[in-house]
Structures are given as structure tokens and as C-alpha cells.
């Protein structure tokens, strides 16, 4: 079975073709960073327009790379939510129209379910059950993944996502959008200095909060001389606090569930300090850690194609033509 998938939930346009026997045949991602940089954040209307412009050329390139024609596709999948409604609508309309024109079934996929299942695209994949830490620009969640479609959210951010906090603090310190990776790189080159930030929501074992931390950084930055040393030391202290919070709560969730496999997904999983601390945790707790390759940690359509394929194999797809997307959608 060949599944063609589209991902347009936020600021990446992605297309992939997955075959349940041969695995991933091709995948392409177009980042909109250049489109949004001047505005310091994602502009939803510009995101929708750029998805509309890029979907067709990306589809043609992906088909070529997979050496596959549209006639060979068995199912057309798309991200149904959560995300920006306009952006989601572009992808779903594109998928539904293609489905109608080709008389192929379609299936809308939950974006976070895609992220959770992304490690199955790797040769060294986990088995159910496992704990997933999803850390991206839009989400920070600890999820007990019991089986396909059986997910229990154990903890999540009550305000900003971890990646969002990285980007907002980076913007405050003068980095261009999205500044999270550059801020992390500066923190890595720095060392502990005069700044310390309180661990947020320390009384709550599983939930996160990063908005107060962002305000604390803002206050520290406003009253300091704002030299390079201040910037580096603040970046260091901020990163320490975010990663410490993620790792502590993940440790609690691992203890609660008793699972022995731990998946880290989402853009923040690229963070060096997070990986270092999680690898140490894995040793201490004798658990196995899985990081999907970076291209599958960040937004991509391969994970959407894989998730859709699992449901299609159970005979589940969508026969209706209704383009109903869900900007907010609980897992
Ligand atoms: O999953 P993703 O590509 O996009 C979604 O949010 O869906 O994640 C992007 C986020 C951004 O907020 C970015 O700043 C953050 O991941 N990020 C990092 C690092 N690399 C990417 N945050 C901290 N350290 C990094 N090395
Ligand atoms: Zn995502």
C-alpha cells in the first residue's frame, strides 16, 4: 500500500510517499523561515499562501524521487489538526481535491500522533508501550503511548511550549527568527555565571510552564548592561532551567508509567544539552532512548504518511469530501 501525505499545519510545507512494504520512498520539506523572518514569528495568512504556492511543485518533486505516479497511490493523507486553520485548510483541500480527481480515499491525521509515531520510520524503532516527550515550537507534552491510537497525556505545558520559549527569549536577546537553535548554540559555548532562574512549576510533577521563566529572563536582561557576557550567561542559565525542567518531569513520568522505552520528538530534541541529560537519565534508569533522525523530529510529511498507513491497514479512511480541519484538537 502506497500512501501520499501532505503536512501544512504551520510553517513547513511537506510531502511524502510511504509504502508499507518498502518503507519511505521519498519526502520533501520546504521551510517558510524566510517568509516569516521579517515579522519575528509566523504570520498565518502568509503561511497559507506559501503552502498553496509550494504544494504542487513539492508533490511533483516527491513523485519523481519516489519514481511513482499518482495512479500508483492507494491513499492520500493530510494533517487535519492541530495547527493554523488556514494552513491546515490548504493541505486538506489539496488532498481532498486530489482524492476526488483520482478517485482515491483520503485520511486526515492528527499532527501530534504523527510526531509520536515518527520513530517507527527508523530501523531501530521502539515497541509499544513507551513514553514520548514531544518538545516542539508548539507543543510540550509527556505522553504514555500504549498502542496505536491509545495515548494518555501525562503532562503538558500550561502556557508556552519549550521551543516557543527558546524562540521568544532568543528574540529578546536580539537573534533573528527562529532564534531557538542560535540561542542554544550560544548557551553551549557559555558557562554558569551570575544568573540563576527558578525552576518553573516545581511542585507539579508532570506539567510544564515556561512563560514565567521568559518574563524572568526579560527582567534580568532589562536591568543588566546587555554586553556579550550577559547575553551568554543568561542564555546558559535559561537553557539549564528549561532542560532541567523537561528532564525532571520526564523522570517522574517514566517512574509513574514504569515503561522502559523513551522517545524524544519535536524540534527541541535537537538540543545538545537535552540529549546529554536524557542519555545520562537512560543509563541511570536502565531505559532505552529513541530519537527519530532530525528531519523526522521536526515537521515532516513522512510521519503523517506512516500514521495514515497504520490506520488504512485496519481499513480506516475517510470517504467524505468535507474539508473539516481542527485548529485545536486534543490527542
Ligand atoms: O518541531 P518543530 O520543527 O516545529 C514545530 O514547532 O512544529 O520545532 C521547532 C522548534 C523551534 O521553536 C526551535 O527554536 C526549536 O524547535 N529548536 C531548538 C533547537 N533546535 C530547534 N530549541 C532548542 N535547542 C535547539 N537546538
Ligand atoms: Zn510539529
Amino acid at each position: 500500500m502506497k500512501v501520499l501525505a501532505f503536512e501544512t499545519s504551520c510553517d513547513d510545507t511537506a510531502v511524502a510517499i510511504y509504502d508499507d512494504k518498502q518503507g519511505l520512498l521519498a519526502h520533501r520539506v520546504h521551510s517558510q523561515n524566510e517568509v516569516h523572518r521579517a515579522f519575528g514569528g509566523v504570520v498565518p495568512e502568509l503561511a497559507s499562501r506559501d503552502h498553496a504556492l509550494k504544494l504542487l511543485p513539492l508533490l511533483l518533486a516527491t513523485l519523481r524521487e519516489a519514481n511513482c505516479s499518482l495512479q500508483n497511490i492507494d491513499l492520500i493523507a493530510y494533517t487535519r489538526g492541530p495547527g493554523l486553520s488556514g494552513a491546515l485548510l490548504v493541505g486538506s483541500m489539496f488532498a481532498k481535491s486530489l482524492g476526488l480527481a483520482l478517485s482515491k480515499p483520503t485520511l486526515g491525521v492528527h499532527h501530534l500522533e504523527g510526531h509520536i509515531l515518527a520513530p517507527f520510520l527508523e530501523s531501530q524503532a521502539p515497541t509499544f508501550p513507551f513514553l514520548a516527550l514531544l518538545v516542539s515550537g508548539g507543543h510540550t507534552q509527556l505522553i504514555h503511548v500504549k498502542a496505536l491510537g491509545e495515548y494518555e497525556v501525562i503532562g503538558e505545558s500550561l502556557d508556552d511550549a519549550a521551543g516557543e520559549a527558546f524562540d521568544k527569549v532568543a528574540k529578546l536577546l536580539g537573534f533573528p527568527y527562529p532564534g531557538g537553535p542560535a540561542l542554544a548554540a550560544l548557551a553551549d559555548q557559555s558557562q554558569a555565571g551570575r544568573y540563576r532562574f527558578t525552576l518553573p512549576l516545581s511542585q507539579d510533577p508532570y506539567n510544564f510552564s515556561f512563560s514565567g521563566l521568559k518574563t524572568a529572563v526579560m527582567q534580568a536582561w532589562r536591568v543588566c548592561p546587555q554586553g556579550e557576557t550577559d547575553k551568554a550567561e543568561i542564555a546558559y542559565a535559561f537553557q539549564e532551567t528549561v532542560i532541567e525542567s523537561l528532564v525532571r518531569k520526564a523522570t517522574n513520568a517514566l517512574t509513574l508509567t514504569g515503561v522502559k522505552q523513551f522517545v524524544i520528538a519535536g524540534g527541541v530534541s535537537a538540543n545538545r544539552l537535552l540529549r546529554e541529560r536524557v542519555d545520562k537519565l537512560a543509563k541511570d534508569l536502565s531505559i532505552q532512548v529513541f530519537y527519530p533522525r532530525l528531519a523526522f523530529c521536526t515537521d515532516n510529511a513522512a510521519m503523517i504518511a506512516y500514521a495514515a498507513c497504520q490506520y488504512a491497514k485496519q481499513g480506516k479512511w475517510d470517504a467524505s469530501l468535507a474539508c473539516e480541519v481542527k485548529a485545536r484538537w486534543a490527542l
Side-chain angles (χ1 to χ4, degrees):
M1 178 192 306
K2 281 186 176 48
V3 180
L4 167 66
F6 302 105
E7 154 63 43
T8 63
S9 64
C10 188
D11 59 347
D12 290 304
T13 318
V15 181
I17 301 171
Y18 179 85
D19 181 295
D20 66 332
K21 303 240 163 32
Q22 295 165 267
L24 187 65
L25 299 184
H27 87 108
R28 294 272 168 138
V29 182
H30 171 79
S31 158
Q32 296 182 352
N33 280 347
E34 296 305 319
V35 173
H36 304 291
R37 183 157 293 141
F39 305 94
V42 177
V43 183
E45 177 62 22
L46 295 184
S48 309
R49 291 178 192 206
D50 204 56
H51 287 310
L53 281 177
K54 299 294 171 1
L55 272 172
L56 190 57
L58 272 182
L59 167 63
L60 296 177
T62 311
L63 284 167
R64 253 196 317 274
E65 191 186 327
N67 200 13
C68 178
S69 83
L70 281 174
Q71 303 309 326
N72 302 134
I73 299 294
D74 300 294
L75 174 75
I76 300 169
Y78 61 94
T79 302
R80 187 173 171 215
L84 304 170
S85 343
L88 290 165
L89 269 172
V90 174
S92 71
M93 297 275 275
F94 195 84
K96 291 274 182 186
S97 312
L98 210 54
L100 178 67
L102 298 166
S103 302
K104 309 271 183 193
T106 61
L107 183 62
V109 172
H110 196 295
H111 180 77
L112 300 185
E113 184 166 27
H115 274 302
I116 288 172
L117 301 179
F120 290 100
L121 290 162
E122 305 297 350
S123 51
Q124 251 218 319
T127 50
F128 297 119
F130 58 85
L131 182 78
L133 170 64
L134 181 55
V135 266
S136 70
H139 299 91
T140 303
Q141 289 191 315
L142 281 163
I143 304 157
H144 186 184
V145 181
K146 299 172 185 175
L148 179 71
E150 262 185 66
Y151 313 119
E152 184 189 352
V153 177
I154 291 178
E156 61 191 332
S157 180
L158 306 180
D159 40 58
D160 290 359
E164 185 181 358
F166 263 92
D167 292 335
K168 285 180 175 169
V169 165
K171 187 176 176 185
L172 175 78
L173 299 183
F175 291 98
Y177 171 85
L183 176 67
L186 177 64
D188 283 345
Q189 290 161 19
S190 183
Q191 50 204 335
R194 290 154 293 165
Y195 302 92
R196 297 274 184 289
F197 299 115
T198 313
L199 208 59
L201 219 62
S202 58
Q203 303 307 316
D204 184 323
Y206 309 117
N207 292 310
F208 306 93
S209 163
F210 296 112
S211 174
L213 172 61
K214 181 188 63 191
T215 309
V217 170
M218 194 190 295
Q219 279 161 351
W221 181 242
R222 278 209 183 128
V223 298
C224 81
Q226 302 192 352
E228 286 310 306
T229 314
D230 298 300
K231 194 191 263 195
E233 286 181 5
I234 287 179
Y236 179 94
F238 166 77
Q239 175 170 264
E240 274 292 326
T241 312
V242 173
I243 303 304
E244 177 67 19
S245 175
L246 292 174
V247 173
R248 274 203 196 185
K249 291 171 189 207
T251 308
N252 295 337
L254 283 162
T255 309
L256 175 80
T257 55
V259 293
K260 293 289 175 200
Q261 297 177 96
F262 187 25
V263 165
I264 324 280
V268 184
S269 69
N271 188 276
R272 188 204 55 82
L273 184 67
L274 175 64
R275 289 189 175 219
E276 185 184 298
R277 298 278 162 86
V278 167
D279 288 343
K280 181 174 179 306
L281 177 69
K283 268 202 191 119
D284 293 347
L285 299 181
S286 301
I287 57 164
Q288 230 184 330
V289 187
F290 299 84
Y291 304 96
R293 79 189 78 159
L294 210 53
F296 298 156
C297 276
T298 54
D299 286 350
N300 66 87
M303 65 185 192
I304 303 301
Y306 178 85
C309 188
Q310 305 320 302
Y311 284 103
K313 282 202 283 192
Q314 296 179 357
K316 293 179 187 158
W317 57 77
D318 186 6
S320 115
L321 278 178
C323 272
E324 192 214 345
V325 296
K326 292 188 161 200
R328 289 175 165 271
W329 188 6
L331 192 63

